[in-house]
Amino acid sequence: MSSTLAETTHMLHDAFDGLESRDDVLDTALATVSGLAQPSMLAGLVRSLRASAQAVDACATLSYHHPLGFDKLALIDAEPEFMLRLHVWWPGNARGAEHVHNHRFGLATCVVRGGYDMEVFQPAKTGLPMVEYREKLSPGSADWELDPLNPLNAAHLRLLTRIRLAEGAGYALAANTLHRVGVAPGALCVTLFLETLIVGSKTRVFAEPDQAPPAFTPKEALNSDGYLQRVDAVLDELAD
């Protein structure tokens, strides 16, 4: 499997070319991201990216610190077909409460360093009381907006499964899967995350009644220096 930026980009395009069924896309995404998440492969890809000032500048504009406490670092942008990025929870960063949510796309992810817990839910008539929101991107920007749905009538979710993922573990999820993840306080966690074809414009978010999220959250892109500092720190972790 390739590890340079150009070769990996071509490999991903070829892998998804002609795939039509959701299951085929998710199976391919998981197999691909699991291979790329091997530390030596990932380090080669990151080093190749950081050697290109143009690639660094482009990826920095798509990278940011998520309000829940982790960094999203773009590696390859081929939206709407796919996007490859790193998710990094640094030990010293404060972390917000993770809400149950789905995505606008199917995804595959693999743990590179550390680990986390994941829970999968489904809507139910009884169960964990929640308030449901619709998350959307603000018109003309990439900021987040959350609109509550019937806030006086709480939704309910039923827990389907809870799993703990260690280094090397991965999974794929369809776009409509409701889930949340939790990283232990003070722990490092690095995952490789692959978005597949975007299938919607909004996502569902469920928050516990006493953990209402803000209605509007600005998204501030990293500058190139900030991006390089973070990917260099990831390279240091991959070398351990």
Side-chain angles (χ1 to χ4, degrees), residues 133-166:
Y133 300 80
R134 284 289 187 274
E135 181 184 61
K136 61 183 179 181
L137 300 180
S138 300
S141 76
D143 299 329
W144 295 282
E145 288 186 12
L146 279 173
D147 295 324
L149 299 182
N150 299 322
L152 298 181
N153 298 312
H156 292 86
L157 297 180
R158 181 166 68 90
L159 178 66
L160 294 180
T161 187
R162 179 185 292 116
I163 58 175
R164 175 159 293 181
L165 294 111

Side-chain angles (χ1 to χ4, degrees), residues 13 27 41 98 101-102 113 164 167 172-173 185 203 216:
H13 278 294
D27 288 346
M41 294 292 295
E98 175 82 36
H101 61 282
N102 71 331
R113 287 287 184 264
R164 175 159 293 181
E167 289 184 14
L173 294 178
T203 59
F216 175 82

Side-chain angles (χ1 to χ4, degrees), residues 37-104:
Q38 300 302 311
S40 60
M41 294 292 295
L42 183 55
L45 171 60
V46 173
R47 284 194 294 266
S48 175
L49 187 158
R50 78 172 316 286
S52 167
Q54 181 178 4
V56 168
D57 290 345
C59 286
T61 64
L62 299 171
S63 302
Y64 51 90
H65 182 70
H66 195 280
L68 293 181
F70 63 97
D71 288 338
K72 288 191 173 186
L73 305 175
L75 299 178
I76 298 174
D77 172 32
E79 284 190 329
E81 186 179 357
F82 64 85
M83 178 182 281
L84 183 70
R85 61 177 185 247
L86 290 165
H87 289 180
V88 188
W89 290 258
W90 302 106
N93 286 355
R95 293 168 189 171
E98 175 82 36
H99 305 304
V100 179
H101 61 282
N102 71 331
H103 288 275
R104 298 177 296 122

Side-chain angles (χ1 to χ4, degrees), residues 100 124-132 153-158 180 206-210:
V100 179
K125 293 182 179 180
T126 60
L128 188 64
M130 292 282 195
V131 177
E132 182 175 0
N153 298 312
H156 292 86
L157 297 180
R158 181 166 68 90
R180 69 180 171 192
F206 294 83
E208 296 181 30
D210 62 347

